[in-house]
Amino acid sequence: MDDVVGLLVLVGLAVLAMPVLLIVALVSVSGLKRRVATLEAQVAQLRAARVAEPAPAPASTVSAPAAPVEDEGPTLADLMRDAAPPPRATPAPAPAAPERAAGPPPIPSAPQTPTPAPAAPPMPPRPPRPVAPSRPDFATTAVRAVQRWFTVGNVPVKIGMLVLFAGVAALLKYGADQGWFTLPPELRLAGVAAAALGALVFAWRKRESNRVFALSLQGGAIGVLLLVVFAAFKIFGLMPVGAAFALSIALVAGAGMLAVLQDAKALAVFALLAGFLAPIWLSTGSGNHVALFSYYAVLNAAIVGIAWYKSWRLLNLLGFVFTFGIGTVWGLFDYDPAKYGTTQPFLALFFVFYLLIPLLFARRQPASRRDFIDGCLVFGMPLVAFSLQAGLMQGGTFEDSRMPLAFCALGLGVLYAGLSWLLRRRENYDVLAQSYALLAVGFATLAVPLALSAQATASVFALEGAALVWLGLRQSRLLPQLTGAGLQMAAAFAFFIARADAWSSGGFDATAHPMFANAPFMSALLIALAGLASAWSYRGRLGAVAGLYYLWGLLWWVGNGVHE
């Protein structure tokens, strides 16, 4: 009985589809007739306009003079001039005037009336400016799109596909009601994974004939496979966390390889986002930071490998933001000094990764464009990494001493000085070498106030701001210049906050420290030097901006000296 009902449902759908097809056919025919009538009317209008158009006037009538001169015939002097024999040529170097035959002087001819200049033709009137047609609203656009879908193209096939979808949906509903699809979750997930793998293989075979479609299908298939891993681990509990992470890493690595092989940056960005978000949706709440940072180390090693072959700046920036951003969040909420030994190696490893990436980015640029460097990583990464290093050294064995952080700053200065010296010996790396030289000077200078006090943030912001101003002027980019100015303002703000805390708590006694060799003086001196260095960078380019920076640095210099 149930089979008969299902058969009757399918027959009913087929019967209902016939009137729909007839209506669509009639609508298509009427639309075609209307379009033919419109085209015929437009052709008739064009023919009528061509017939009514006046013939263009000949060029001779346009250039003819307004008042013709009446011909009065030749004069006596003209007749005698015509009857004279032609003059003999003389070997003189300069052309001589023609000699006239001996005889009575010629009678001067009567003055002729000057011919008036032809009148310029009148300029045609300027055609009126066409009025831009008004754009239809969303409802009208949607109705037109639906009407076009039903009237343009292979309409019977489209209607047949709709009927097929309706029939398949009814069949699936009937099968679900009868219990035909009651399968265990393992088989369901295996079927979805097999379909995704088939789509991935099909997209790979279509990568040359239809690139956009193939890349979109590849990204969707890898996303479905990642969702299968997530469902097997989180929803059904069919997979341990180690296997889920291993499969996620394999899928992300495969997507990265496909992106490099096909030169598809969008696919690489998708793989990177999926890789960095995988620990979030696969988290068990155990708080194992070693496993988290080990996984991120693998991802960042893949980014370095891609940077060896491709100069994809967006990929580098995303890796930097996710790595140091998630690390900062973890440090704010879950770090304690007991975890220093298992955290410091990962911070050093991430620093090395993003120290190499700007070098690889510059190496992949053409020789004429190697002065275009990635300022966000060149200057931003040391700033963020040094701030995180200062956070790691708060508490524990480093609570009562700032000398280890000062030695870290001095070591960074030596490292960047060595890189600058090596790059100066290579061609077309001048901008990167100068940037590293600025960082070397900045960190070496920063080691002095760090050895005396904890006011490192203001000094870092001021020095990095001056460096970004110089880089923005060197590359003629406005964003680094504005960022540098903002960093110097932030340095002043951080300095005043630190001084207010010290004054309110009574933690700084001016009489207990020698003159000039104390932390507040050195920090304010660095802010003043950063402003004066920015003014020096703007000299001869923007006088008003250079004056503002000079005034800013001078105020800090004088105020610091008066206070001291």
Side-chain angles (χ1 to χ4, degrees), residues 259 264-274 312 314-315 318:
K265 183 169 65 175
L267 187 60
V269 170
F270 168 76
L272 184 66
L273 291 176
W312 289 341
L314 178 59
L315 201 69
L318 283 177

Side-chain angles (χ1 to χ4, degrees), residues 88-403:
R88 296 181 179 180
T90 58
E99 298 180 358
R100 297 184 178 274
I107 301 175
S109 59
Q112 297 183 358
T113 306
T115 304
M123 296 294 294
R126 180 176 296 179
R129 180 176 297 178
V131 181
S134 59
R135 300 182 63 181
D137 54 0
F138 177 76
T140 305
T141 304
V143 171
R144 289 179 180 176
V146 173
Q147 183 181 4
R148 180 178 179 83
W149 194 88
F150 277 103
T151 56
V152 177
N154 199 338
V155 179
V157 172
K158 296 179 181 180
I159 300 300
M161 288 300 297
L162 290 179
V163 175
L164 177 63
F165 285 153
V168 171
L171 180 62
L172 292 176
K173 176 68 168 56
Y174 177 74
D177 294 339
Q178 297 298 321
W180 295 349
F181 306 116
T182 304
L183 299 174
E186 295 89 344
L187 293 180
R188 282 183 280 172
L189 293 176
V192 174
L197 289 174
L200 187 61
V201 173
F202 177 75
W204 174 257
R205 298 184 64 179
K206 293 291 183 181
R207 67 188 184 278
E208 295 181 356
S209 60
N210 198 337
R211 176 180 172 81
V212 177
F213 167 76
L215 292 178
S216 303
L217 188 56
Q218 288 175 29
I222 294 174
V224 170
L225 291 174
L226 287 171
L227 290 177
V228 168
V229 174
F230 168 75
F233 166 72
K234 201 78 172 180
I235 299 176
F236 298 105
L238 301 175
M239 187 180 297
V241 61
F245 264 111
L247 286 177
S248 299
I249 292 176
L251 290 174
V252 171
M257 291 179 60
L258 291 176
V260 174
L261 291 176
Q262 301 173 89
D263 197 14
K265 183 169 65 175
L267 187 60
V269 170
F270 168 76
L272 184 66
L273 291 176
F276 276 106
L277 294 177
I280 297 176
W281 68 53
L282 297 177
S283 175
T284 59
S286 61
N288 189 353
H289 66 283
V290 176
L292 176 67
F293 292 146
S294 299
Y295 175 72
Y296 280 175
V298 174
L299 287 181
N300 284 286
I303 295 174
V304 173
I306 293 176
W308 182 271
Y309 298 100
K310 302 291 180 181
S311 58
W312 289 341
R313 183 170 179 265
L314 178 59
L315 201 69
N316 304 333
L317 291 179
L318 283 177
F320 169 71
V321 170
F322 272 99
T323 301
F324 286 92
I326 295 177
T328 302
V329 173
W330 174 85
L332 291 175
F333 292 101
D334 200 30
Y335 175 74
D336 59 76
K339 299 178 181 178
Y340 174 81
T342 56
T343 307
Q344 180 65 64
F346 288 107
L347 179 59
L349 180 62
F350 294 148
F351 175 82
V352 172
F353 280 155
Y354 287 95
L355 180 67
L356 292 176
I357 286 176
L359 295 172
L360 297 177
F361 180 79
R363 187 184 69 89
R364 296 296 304 176
Q365 299 297 320
S368 60
R369 291 198 60 197
R370 284 181 181 167
D371 57 344
F372 180 75
I373 64 176
D374 195 346
C376 294
L377 293 183
V378 170
F379 292 106
M381 188 275 296
L383 171 65
V384 176
F386 189 78
S387 300
L388 292 177
Q389 183 66 46
L392 290 180
M393 291 184 172
Q394 289 183 357
T397 58
F398 307 104
E399 181 68 28
D400 300 328
S401 176
R402 304 299 299 179
M403 291 303 295

Side-chain angles (χ1 to χ4, degrees), residues 3 14 141 172 186 211 249 358 371 390 402 436 442-443 450 465 471 482 539 551:
D3 298 336
T141 304
L172 292 176
E186 295 89 344
R211 176 180 172 81
I249 292 176
D371 57 344
R402 304 299 299 179
Y436 285 159
F443 278 110
L450 283 178
L471 180 64
L482 297 178
R539 74 189 189 283
L551 182 61

